[in-house]
Amino acid sequence: MLGDAADLFRPSPGRRADGLLEMVGEAAGRAISWVLSRLLFGIHLLLVWTALRDSQRAEYLADELAARVAGTDGVRDLLDVLLSGDSVARVVRQAARTGGGPAVWRSGVASARTAAVARMPLVRQLSVRDAASLFASHPPAGLRHRMLTARTPQEPTVTLDDSRMERLDAELSRHFDRTARTVAWTG
């Protein structure tokens, strides 16, 4: 609302005034509108910045909660997958085009991640440099990874065995099929 109000009060291009009194009134109105517009915009930025910082703190808390459930290593692996989004998408797209199911997707992603192990510290650092912003809704994955590494490692409380994985794959098979059709020909 404050951003819209700031736009509303932003002075528009002036029209040519006919008399001195009209010119003075126009200039005073523009000055008051400009000050009011900047004031509202500043308050808007302050509120957005405050809300986004809260959002980033919530993201760190979510990572901590995820580490309690999946273990620290599992969450760090997930963050690395997010940082490798393009290569993961490429692997999944190729597997989907050849008719491979979720097991093939996981195998391909694991292979791509193994090939990228040596460069992941650099990718994490690059994410910190490129994605860090006071106005970002999420902290960079590199900082999230760093936070998890600095904390006491946690073991997973929930584990997924092969039989459970097969049941999940069977339950989600129609969604996998639809996603495979979508992913196969995008990008």
Side-chain angles (χ1 to χ4, degrees):
M1 181 184 88
L2 289 171
D4 290 340
D7 284 342
L8 181 68
F9 281 102
R10 186 177 339 128
S12 59
R15 58 182 186 82
R16 184 180 163 114
D18 291 332
L20 180 64
L21 186 59
E22 191 176 327
M23 205 166 30
V24 169
E26 178 90 17
R30 286 180 159 294
I32 291 170
S33 290
W34 185 87
V35 168
L36 191 55
S37 173
R38 296 297 118 204
L39 179 66
L40 289 169
F41 186 70
I43 294 169
H44 170 73
L45 279 181
L46 180 66
L47 288 175
V48 166
W49 175 73
T50 304
L52 290 177
R53 293 297 300 156
D54 193 42
S55 175
Q56 289 182 1
R57 277 192 295 277
E59 193 79 29
Y60 286 122
L61 177 61
D63 289 341
E64 181 64 28
L65 294 173
R68 290 181 193 168
V69 174
T72 302
D73 290 337
V75 178
R76 287 191 306 212
D77 287 348
L78 174 65
L79 291 171
D80 285 347
V81 168
L82 293 175
L83 283 170
S84 305
D86 291 339
S87 60
V88 168
R90 188 176 322 107
V91 166
V92 170
R93 190 176 310 111
Q94 289 170 347
R97 286 178 180 165
T98 60
V104 177
W105 297 6
R106 283 190 290 277
S107 172
V109 168
S111 297
R113 290 195 55 232
T114 300
V117 162
R119 68 180 174 88
M120 282 315 296
L122 296 173
V123 172
R124 285 185 213 114
Q125 183 60 37
L126 184 64
S127 81
V128 171
R129 191 185 77 195
D130 288 349
S133 169
L134 290 175
F135 297 103
S137 60
H138 300 290
L143 284 179
R144 294 166 63 191
H145 192 282
R146 193 182 297 168
M147 184 271 306
L148 288 167
T149 302
R151 301 218 176 193
T152 305
Q154 299 185 42
E155 293 300 315
T157 56
V158 176
T159 55
L160 190 60
D161 59 7
D162 290 336
S163 66
R164 180 73 174 143
M165 182 68 81
E166 289 173 8
R167 287 188 303 207
L168 286 171
D169 285 349
E171 185 177 330
L172 297 172
S173 66
R174 66 184 174 98
H175 298 291
F176 281 128
D177 293 341
R178 183 177 52 217
T179 301
R181 285 190 302 273
T182 303
V183 168
W185 304 111
T186 59

